[in-house]
Amino acid sequence: MKYFLFFIVFSFFTNENECEIDFNSVGINDYDLNISCSDLKNIIPELKKDSNSKLDDDISIYSYIINQKILNINRKVEYYFAFKEDKLQAYVFNVYSGRDIKYYKFFVKKARENNAFISEKGTSFLETKNNCEKFLRIKSNPNQIIIFGGISKIGSYW
């Protein structure tokens, strides 16, 4: 009976910890899901409230914009955070990377080292498992390629 209980508790904590991404190696800030909004504001004083979700009034969206070194090159990065019941449930980042697709390919190569959901081939990556969605892809505007990635326990659209 003790072993059975241990297995259940171990499985619960293992599944909880599986909802993580690691983009530190490329320069992206990583955040722990379930952190409180006030704790995140202590880490990021510039964090500002944007709105509530258009799909769920209980989800509050916050953001901040920063210029930071991504792969040793200064880039504009936008972060968006979704909170429900004062706990971080999702966040995404947008890296404005210029017009060179080689930069994105290098970003993917380096990010793959710490993120098993990024496969060796492709330009768009998604893993949905145990109520956790991890993704990395590109979008573009007329001036540049935007590297778009993140993690969510509440789905893709919020």
Side-chain angles (χ1 to χ4, degrees), residues 117-147:
F117 78 95
I118 300 174
S119 61
E120 200 153 322
K121 295 187 180 190
T123 56
S124 183
F125 310 95
L126 171 69
E127 176 183 86
T128 303
K129 185 167 66 172
N130 297 328
N131 196 34
C132 179
E133 185 174 287
K134 305 171 188 180
F135 62 93
L136 179 67
R137 56 184 166 264
I138 55 175
K139 54 186 180 179
S140 63
N141 66 29
N143 300 318
Q144 61 188 311
I145 296 167
I146 302 165
I147 301 170

Side-chain angles (χ1 to χ4, degrees), residues 45-126:
E46 309 83 18
L47 192 67
K48 66 177 176 125
K49 175 110 163 67
D50 277 354
S51 62
N52 282 350
S53 166
K54 292 179 173 103
L55 301 175
D56 185 341
D57 286 338
D58 294 333
I59 297 174
S60 299
I61 300 172
Y62 289 76
S63 68
Y64 85 105
I65 299 171
I66 187 171
N67 287 312
Q68 67 187 98
K69 286 201 181 280
I70 306 297
L71 297 172
N72 296 318
I73 299 173
N74 272 334
R75 299 290 185 192
K76 175 184 169 184
V77 182
E78 298 173 335
Y79 291 91
Y80 294 92
F81 303 90
F83 288 89
K84 189 169 186 173
E85 297 175 1
D86 194 45
K87 298 292 180 191
L88 182 61
Q89 298 297 303
Y91 69 91
V92 298
F93 57 84
N94 292 313
V95 177
Y96 290 80
S97 63
R99 298 186 54 81
D100 188 359
I101 192 68
K102 291 178 188 171
Y103 184 85
Y104 177 67
K105 290 179 178 181
F106 184 59
F107 184 100
V108 168
K109 180 181 176 184
K110 296 301 285 178
R112 181 183 310 119
E113 295 171 5
N114 298 320
N115 294 283
F117 78 95
I118 300 174
S119 61
E120 200 153 322
K121 295 187 180 190
T123 56
S124 183
F125 310 95
L126 171 69

